[in-house]
Amino acid sequence: LRHCGDRGGVISAQIHLTLFDDPATLTAAVADLDDDVARVALELPLRANLSALDNIALIPLYQRHHGAAESAQQAQAILDTMGHAGIALLRDPDMTPAQRFVTKLARALILKRSRLIIDRPGAMLYDVPYPAFIRQLAAQDGMTGTWEIFDFSWNQALYKE
């Protein structure tokens, strides 16, 4: 991690860290995000009655008006790319926090937006060392674009390699 002053840094070529000193500033930054941002956050829940695959497939089904089979195929392809094909049939209550995060991330990635924000990953990934877990996901073949992590400044030490 190369620090840019004390305001964040670059974790890898495609993961950038933006740090905030207090919850109000972070909340304001999230509120100011444009509509073309894909976001992964604790307060953006999965549909509990649907599988991981179905939660992801809802995006192309309803936003791009693709058929159910094509949407499911796209969702499975993203899970395959992320190395988590095995969670496809799990429903939210049956997932670990890391599996739930992967599903939310896949749902954000399938949007194919110009910017991806991971908002306070520690609130979602309390069962794994989350900076390393996110690096591992971003390093998978086929992962493109820039991922931006919004986190609190007191967590900065966790991102050091």
Side-chain angles (χ1 to χ4, degrees):
L1 175 64
R2 294 176 312 163
H3 296 288
C4 299
D6 63 347
R7 299 306 320 146
V10 177
I11 295 175
S12 74
Q14 74 184 60
I15 303 175
H16 299 270
L17 177 63
T18 302
L19 298 171
F20 298 88
D21 290 330
D22 59 80
T25 306
L26 191 150
T27 301
V30 168
D32 288 341
L33 292 172
D34 294 330
D35 289 339
D36 69 337
V37 173
R39 192 166 146 250
V40 179
L42 183 64
E43 65 269 10
L44 299 174
L46 300 174
R47 300 287 308 235
N49 61 328
L50 298 180
S51 67
L53 186 74
D54 291 339
N55 266 286
I56 301 161
L58 283 176
I59 303 301
L61 185 67
Y62 288 107
Q63 290 193 1
R64 294 192 205 111
H65 308 291
H66 291 231
E70 183 180 353
S71 296
Q73 184 180 28
Q74 290 177 21
Q76 186 64 57
I78 286 182
L79 288 174
D80 293 346
T81 298
M82 296 174 76
H84 288 272
I87 70 168
L89 299 179
L90 294 177
R91 292 179 329 117
D92 185 359
D94 303 322
M95 293 182 200
T96 66
Q99 291 167 333
R100 195 170 294 113
F101 177 84
V102 166
T103 304
K104 289 180 176 189
L105 180 59
R107 189 175 61 183
L109 290 170
I110 206 165
L111 286 167
K112 298 181 180 175
R113 300 272 170 85
S114 60
R115 190 171 171 205
L116 171 71
I117 302 291
I118 300 172
D119 182 0
R120 295 166 279 185
M124 296 174 280
L125 285 169
Y126 49 86
D127 62 334
V128 295
Y130 63 89
F133 187 73
I134 293 169
R135 277 189 206 100
Q136 179 186 26
L137 289 170
Q140 296 294 321
D141 289 339
M143 290 296 138
T144 60
T146 300
W147 299 5
E148 195 173 341
I149 297 174
F150 281 14
D151 209 341
F152 295 116
S153 57
W154 53 83
N155 288 330
Q156 185 173 15
L158 297 173
Y159 292 95
K160 293 183 180 181
E161 293 181 304

